[in-house]
């Protein structure tokens, strides 16, 4: 899961309470990228704190609301962002949505490293596409309307689009055509 990456990326711009991450993700509809729950968010913060990637910045006490712990990123946490980004790109190629949060923070990776990660993923997806096409050819004895055939056809369509998208993405990054918007969105959200 790339929730840690998102937390570190947000904290690199703004100190936050864990619940603010949930509000932020929902506000920009990024909760579509992965399932989030209070428990997962608090667990991620706890894990990041134990690893020395985040620290308590301030504890806000108010008579009318529960105590609120505000976190900040550490230098170790800043260094961890690129490592978390790399982990995401190495995840299962069939789980296409897993790289979306990493792409939000793509500017934390060196351009050459990012292109290498994307190319590695591209090669894996392409290999899976070839394997799926071979599987479809081998199952020609099955009727074309069998559920197995339909599943393989669907996989081929998805993988074909993913290969094209990854190629286009690499091209845009090589030509410096992508601008990270997440910094603006973080600043805009937390300045209100």
């Amino acid at each position: 899961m790339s929730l840690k990456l998102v937390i570190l990326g947000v904290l690199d711009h703004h100190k936050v309470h864990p619940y603010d991450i949930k509000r932020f993700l929902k506000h920009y509809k990024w909760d579509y990228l992965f399932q989030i729950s209070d428990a997962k968010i608090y667990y991620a913060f706890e894990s990041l704190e134990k690893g020395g990637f985040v620290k308590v910045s301030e504890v806000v006490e108010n008579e009318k609301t529960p105590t609120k712990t505000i976190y900040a990123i550490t230098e170790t946490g800043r260094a961890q962002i690129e490592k978390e980004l790399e982990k995401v790109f190495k995840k299962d190629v069939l789980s296409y949505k897993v790289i979306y949060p990493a792409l939000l923070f793509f500017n934390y990776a060196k351009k050459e490293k990012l292109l290498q990660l994307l190319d590695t993923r591209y090669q894996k997806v392409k290999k899976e596409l070839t394997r799926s096409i071979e599987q479809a050819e081998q199952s020609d004895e099955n009727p074309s309307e069998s559920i197995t055939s339909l599943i393989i056809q669907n996989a081929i369509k998805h993988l074909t689009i993913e290969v094209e998208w990854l190629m286009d993405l690499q091209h845009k990054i090589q030509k410096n055509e992508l601008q990270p918007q997440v910094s603006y969105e973080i600043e805009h959200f937390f300045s209100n």
Side-chain angles (χ1 to χ4, degrees):
M1 166 178 290
S2 49
L3 182 57
K4 288 180 183 177
L5 170 64
V6 172
I7 291 169
L8 290 171
V10 168
L11 284 173
D12 193 39
H13 293 275
H14 201 281
K15 297 174 184 176
V16 298
H17 179 270
Y19 184 73
D20 293 331
I21 294 291
K22 183 176 181 178
R23 288 184 326 109
F24 176 68
L25 292 171
K26 285 186 175 280
H27 178 79
Y28 286 103
K29 297 183 179 29
W30 292 347
D31 54 331
Y32 159 77
L33 302 174
F34 45 85
Q35 290 184 336
I36 57 169
S37 66
D38 292 347
K40 285 181 181 180
I41 291 170
Y42 281 94
Y43 176 77
F45 267 91
E46 183 180 309
S47 175
L48 288 168
E49 187 177 17
K50 283 181 184 175
F53 305 120
V54 304
K55 64 182 179 185
V56 174
S57 170
E58 160 184 20
V59 177
V60 179
E61 295 191 30
N62 185 333
E63 291 178 11
K64 297 179 182 179
T65 61
T67 301
K68 190 174 180 181
T69 304
I70 307 296
Y71 291 86
I73 193 167
T74 63
E75 285 305 313
T76 308
R78 279 190 183 88
Q80 186 66 19
I81 294 174
E82 188 174 354
K83 293 174 185 169
E84 291 295 324
L85 195 142
E86 192 171 326
K87 283 182 200 176
V88 170
F89 278 100
K90 291 181 177 180
K91 288 188 178 181
D92 181 11
V93 296
L94 297 178
S95 302
Y96 67 94
K97 288 182 358 179
V98 298
I99 71 167
Y100 292 171
L103 291 174
L104 295 173
F105 298 97
F106 77 91
N107 58 312
Y108 282 90
K110 291 177 180 72
K111 182 178 176 179
E112 299 78 29
K113 182 66 173 179
L114 181 60
L115 288 169
Q116 176 193 358
L117 291 169
L118 284 168
D119 186 59
T120 300
R121 189 163 183 88
Y122 168 82
Q123 296 301 330
K124 287 179 180 179
V125 173
K126 198 171 171 185
K127 183 177 179 181
E128 187 63 32
L129 175 59
T130 302
R131 204 171 70 98
S132 295
I133 291 169
E134 289 170 356
Q135 185 68 33
E137 290 168 354
Q138 290 174 3
S139 62
D140 274 345
E141 67 259 3
N142 293 341
S144 64
E145 293 305 313
S146 74
I147 191 65
T148 302
S149 178
L150 290 173
I151 289 170
I152 293 170
Q153 289 170 26
N154 187 51
I156 291 170
K157 288 177 185 175
H158 282 279
L159 291 166
T160 300
I161 290 169
E162 186 76 2
V163 163
E164 292 168 4
W165 182 74
L166 286 167
M167 259 184 3
D168 185 48
L169 186 59
Q170 288 179 76
H171 180 74
K172 287 180 188 301
I173 290 170
Q174 284 171 335
K175 295 200 174 241
N176 295 319
E177 294 177 355
L178 287 182
Q179 299 301 316
Q181 278 183 263
V182 74
S183 299
Y184 166 78
E185 290 163 342
I186 291 168
E187 292 302 325
H188 178 74
F189 182 81
F190 288 106
S191 68
N192 294 334

PDB file of all heavy atoms in Angstrom, residues 28-42:
ATOM      1  N   TYR A  28      -9.936  15.434  -2.578  1.00  0.00           N
ATOM      2  CA  TYR A  28      -9.472  15.341  -3.966  1.00  0.00           C
ATOM      3  C   TYR A  28      -9.872  14.020  -4.623  1.00  0.00           C
ATOM      4  O   TYR A  28      -9.404  13.709  -5.708  1.00  0.00           O
ATOM      5  CB  TYR A  28      -7.959  15.559  -4.034  1.00  0.00           C
ATOM      6  CG  TYR A  28      -7.620  17.010  -3.829  1.00  0.00           C
ATOM      7  CD1 TYR A  28      -7.128  17.458  -2.618  1.00  0.00           C
ATOM      8  CD2 TYR A  28      -7.840  17.943  -4.836  1.00  0.00           C
ATOM      9  CE1 TYR A  28      -6.840  18.800  -2.409  1.00  0.00           C
ATOM     10  CE2 TYR A  28      -7.558  19.284  -4.639  1.00  0.00           C
ATOM     11  CZ  TYR A  28      -7.065  19.701  -3.427  1.00  0.00           C
ATOM     12  OH  TYR A  28      -6.794  21.032  -3.235  1.00  0.00           O
ATOM     13  N   LYS A  29     -10.709  13.271  -3.936  1.00  0.00           N
ATOM     14  CA  LYS A  29     -11.215  11.982  -4.420  1.00  0.00           C
ATOM     15  C   LYS A  29     -10.079  10.985  -4.689  1.00  0.00           C
ATOM     16  O   LYS A  29     -10.194  10.104  -5.519  1.00  0.00           O
ATOM     17  CB  LYS A  29     -12.092  12.188  -5.661  1.00  0.00           C
ATOM     18  CG  LYS A  29     -13.317  13.024  -5.340  1.00  0.00           C
ATOM     19  CD  LYS A  29     -14.232  13.190  -6.499  1.00  0.00           C
ATOM     20  CE  LYS A  29     -15.463  13.978  -6.214  1.00  0.00           C
ATOM     21  NZ  LYS A  29     -15.480  14.977  -5.225  1.00  0.00           N
ATOM     22  N   TRP A  30      -8.986  11.162  -3.976  1.00  0.00           N
ATOM     23  CA  TRP A  30      -7.876  10.227  -4.112  1.00  0.00           C
ATOM     24  C   TRP A  30      -8.121   8.963  -3.305  1.00  0.00           C
ATOM     25  O   TRP A  30      -7.361   8.007  -3.405  1.00  0.00           O
ATOM     26  CB  TRP A  30      -6.571  10.868  -3.681  1.00  0.00           C
ATOM     27  CG  TRP A  30      -6.120  11.962  -4.598  1.00  0.00           C
ATOM     28  CD1 TRP A  30      -6.598  12.246  -5.847  1.00  0.00           C
ATOM     29  CD2 TRP A  30      -5.116  12.920  -4.341  1.00  0.00           C
ATOM     30  NE1 TRP A  30      -5.940  13.318  -6.370  1.00  0.00           N
ATOM     31  CE2 TRP A  30      -5.028  13.773  -5.469  1.00  0.00           C
ATOM     32  CE3 TRP A  30      -4.271  13.159  -3.270  1.00  0.00           C
ATOM     33  CZ2 TRP A  30      -4.130  14.812  -5.552  1.00  0.00           C
ATOM     34  CZ3 TRP A  30      -3.384  14.209  -3.354  1.00  0.00           C
ATOM     35  CH2 TRP A  30      -3.311  15.024  -4.485  1.00  0.00           C
ATOM     36  N   ASP A  31      -9.188   8.944  -2.509  1.00  0.00           N
ATOM     37  CA  ASP A  31      -9.520   7.715  -1.798  1.00  0.00           C
ATOM     38  C   ASP A  31      -9.914   6.633  -2.807  1.00  0.00           C
ATOM     39  O   ASP A  31      -9.968   5.463  -2.467  1.00  0.00           O
ATOM     40  CB  ASP A  31     -10.618   7.940  -0.757  1.00  0.00           C
ATOM     41  CG  ASP A  31     -11.873   8.589  -1.308  1.00  0.00           C
ATOM     42  OD1 ASP A  31     -11.788   9.361  -2.294  1.00  0.00           O
ATOM     43  OD2 ASP A  31     -12.946   8.341  -0.742  1.00  0.00           O
ATOM     44  N   TYR A  32     -10.138   7.033  -4.063  1.00  0.00           N
ATOM     45  CA  TYR A  32     -10.371   6.072  -5.148  1.00  0.00           C
ATOM     46  C   TYR A  32      -9.126   5.223  -5.385  1.00  0.00           C
ATOM     47  O   TYR A  32      -9.210   4.079  -5.810  1.00  0.00           O
ATOM     48  CB  TYR A  32     -10.745   6.831  -6.426  1.00  0.00           C
ATOM     49  CG  TYR A  32     -10.529   6.042  -7.692  1.00  0.00           C
ATOM     50  CD1 TYR A  32     -11.424   5.050  -8.066  1.00  0.00           C
ATOM     51  CD2 TYR A  32      -9.422   6.271  -8.494  1.00  0.00           C
ATOM     52  CE1 TYR A  32     -11.221   4.315  -9.222  1.00  0.00           C
ATOM     53  CE2 TYR A  32      -9.213   5.537  -9.641  1.00  0.00           C
ATOM     54  CZ  TYR A  32     -10.105   4.562 -10.004  1.00  0.00           C
ATOM     55  OH  TYR A  32      -9.895   3.824 -11.135  1.00  0.00           O
ATOM     56  N   LEU A  33      -7.961   5.797  -5.111  1.00  0.00           N
ATOM     57  CA  LEU A  33      -6.704   5.117  -5.407  1.00  0.00           C
ATOM     58  C   LEU A  33      -6.481   3.894  -4.524  1.00  0.00           C
ATOM     59  O   LEU A  33      -5.843   2.951  -4.935  1.00  0.00           O
ATOM     60  CB  LEU A  33      -5.530   6.079  -5.246  1.00  0.00           C
ATOM     61  CG  LEU A  33      -5.584   7.337  -6.108  1.00  0.00           C
ATOM     62  CD1 LEU A  33      -4.440   8.263  -5.751  1.00  0.00           C
ATOM     63  CD2 LEU A  33      -5.553   6.979  -7.578  1.00  0.00           C
ATOM     64  N   PHE A  34      -6.971   3.944  -3.322  1.00  0.00           N
ATOM     65  CA  PHE A  34      -6.834   2.815  -2.413  1.00  0.00           C
ATOM     66  C   PHE A  34      -7.815   2.992  -1.270  1.00  0.00           C
ATOM     67  O   PHE A  34      -8.261   4.094  -0.995  1.00  0.00           O
ATOM     68  CB  PHE A  34      -5.407   2.676  -1.868  1.00  0.00           C
ATOM     69  CG  PHE A  34      -4.798   3.964  -1.421  1.00  0.00           C
ATOM     70  CD1 PHE A  34      -5.029   4.455  -0.157  1.00  0.00           C
ATOM     71  CD2 PHE A  34      -3.995   4.686  -2.275  1.00  0.00           C
ATOM     72  CE1 PHE A  34      -4.470   5.644   0.259  1.00  0.00           C
ATOM     73  CE2 PHE A  34      -3.426   5.881  -1.866  1.00  0.00           C
ATOM     74  CZ  PHE A  34      -3.668   6.357  -0.600  1.00  0.00           C
ATOM     75  N   GLN A  35      -8.159   1.880  -0.641  1.00  0.00           N
ATOM     76  CA  GLN A  35      -9.095   1.947   0.476  1.00  0.00           C
ATOM     77  C   GLN A  35      -8.398   2.568   1.677  1.00  0.00           C
ATOM     78  O   GLN A  35      -7.268   2.231   1.995  1.00  0.00           O
ATOM     79  CB  GLN A  35      -9.582   0.548   0.842  1.00  0.00           C
ATOM     80  CG  GLN A  35     -10.491  -0.055  -0.200  1.00  0.00           C
ATOM     81  CD  GLN A  35     -11.014  -1.396   0.265  1.00  0.00           C
ATOM     82  OE1 GLN A  35     -10.416  -2.069   1.083  1.00  0.00           O
ATOM     83  NE2 GLN A  35     -12.156  -1.784  -0.281  1.00  0.00           N
ATOM     84  N   ILE A  36      -9.109   3.487   2.291  1.00  0.00           N
ATOM     85  CA  ILE A  36      -8.546   4.098   3.490  1.00  0.00           C
ATOM     86  C   ILE A  36      -9.544   3.958   4.635  1.00  0.00           C
ATOM     87  O   ILE A  36     -10.749   3.927   4.426  1.00  0.00           O
ATOM     88  CB  ILE A  36      -8.199   5.585   3.281  1.00  0.00           C
ATOM     89  CG1 ILE A  36      -9.430   6.373   2.833  1.00  0.00           C
ATOM     90  CG2 ILE A  36      -7.072   5.756   2.305  1.00  0.00           C
ATOM     91  CD1 ILE A  36      -9.240   7.861   2.866  1.00  0.00           C
ATOM     92  N   SER A  37      -9.002   3.859   5.804  1.00  0.00           N
ATOM     93  CA  SER A  37      -9.830   3.830   7.007  1.00  0.00           C
ATOM     94  C   SER A  37      -9.021   4.537   8.093  1.00  0.00           C
ATOM     95  O   SER A  37      -7.805   4.689   7.976  1.00  0.00           O
ATOM     96  CB  SER A  37     -10.132   2.386   7.430  1.00  0.00           C
ATOM     97  OG  SER A  37      -8.941   1.737   7.836  1.00  0.00           O
ATOM     98  N   ASP A  38      -9.700   4.957   9.121  1.00  0.00           N
ATOM     99  CA  ASP A  38      -9.005   5.606  10.232  1.00  0.00           C
ATOM    100  C   ASP A  38      -7.919   4.686  10.788  1.00  0.00           C
ATOM    101  O   ASP A  38      -6.802   5.126  11.057  1.00  0.00           O
ATOM    102  CB  ASP A  38      -9.990   5.981  11.338  1.00  0.00           C
ATOM    103  CG  ASP A  38     -10.939   7.091  10.911  1.00  0.00           C
ATOM    104  OD1 ASP A  38     -10.692   7.735   9.866  1.00  0.00           O
ATOM    105  OD2 ASP A  38     -11.932   7.323  11.617  1.00  0.00           O
ATOM    106  N   ALA A  39      -8.261   3.417  10.929  1.00  0.00           N
ATOM    107  CA  ALA A  39      -7.301   2.461  11.496  1.00  0.00           C
ATOM    108  C   ALA A  39      -6.046   2.367  10.636  1.00  0.00           C
ATOM    109  O   ALA A  39      -4.925   2.370  11.162  1.00  0.00           O
ATOM    110  CB  ALA A  39      -7.952   1.086  11.637  1.00  0.00           C
ATOM    111  N   LYS A  40      -6.205   2.285   9.306  1.00  0.00           N
ATOM    112  CA  LYS A  40      -5.043   2.192   8.419  1.00  0.00           C
ATOM    113  C   LYS A  40      -4.193   3.458   8.489  1.00  0.00           C
ATOM    114  O   LYS A  40      -2.966   3.393   8.480  1.00  0.00           O
ATOM    115  CB  LYS A  40      -5.490   1.960   6.971  1.00  0.00           C
ATOM    116  CG  LYS A  40      -5.963   0.557   6.704  1.00  0.00           C
ATOM    117  CD  LYS A  40      -6.359   0.385   5.248  1.00  0.00           C
ATOM    118  CE  LYS A  40      -6.861  -1.022   5.002  1.00  0.00           C
ATOM    119  NZ  LYS A  40      -7.257  -1.239   3.612  1.00  0.00           N
ATOM    120  N   ILE A  41      -4.850   4.595   8.552  1.00  0.00           N
ATOM    121  CA  ILE A  41      -4.120   5.860   8.601  1.00  0.00           C
ATOM    122  C   ILE A  41      -3.342   5.972   9.906  1.00  0.00           C
ATOM    123  O   ILE A  41      -2.155   6.287   9.911  1.00  0.00           O
ATOM    124  CB  ILE A  41      -5.074   7.046   8.414  1.00  0.00           C
ATOM    125  CG1 ILE A  41      -5.604   7.050   6.974  1.00  0.00           C
ATOM    126  CG2 ILE A  41      -4.377   8.364   8.736  1.00  0.00           C
ATOM    127  CD1 ILE A  41      -6.726   8.027   6.719  1.00  0.00           C
ATOM    128  N   TYR A  42      -4.002   5.683  11.031  1.00  0.00           N
ATOM    129  CA  TYR A  42      -3.316   5.778  12.323  1.00  0.00           C
ATOM    130  C   TYR A  42      -2.192   4.751  12.427  1.00  0.00           C
ATOM    131  O   TYR A  42      -1.119   5.039  12.966  1.00  0.00           O
ATOM    132  CB  TYR A  42      -4.309   5.639  13.484  1.00  0.00           C
ATOM    133  CG  TYR A  42      -5.072   6.913  13.735  1.00  0.00           C
ATOM    134  CD1 TYR A  42      -6.318   7.128  13.156  1.00  0.00           C
ATOM    135  CD2 TYR A  42      -4.533   7.927  14.533  1.00  0.00           C
ATOM    136  CE1 TYR A  42      -7.019   8.314  13.364  1.00  0.00           C
ATOM    137  CE2 TYR A  42      -5.224   9.108  14.762  1.00  0.00           C
ATOM    138  CZ  TYR A  42      -6.461   9.296  14.164  1.00  0.00           C
ATOM    139  OH  TYR A  42      -7.134  10.477  14.386  1.00  0.00           O
TER     140      TYR A  42
END
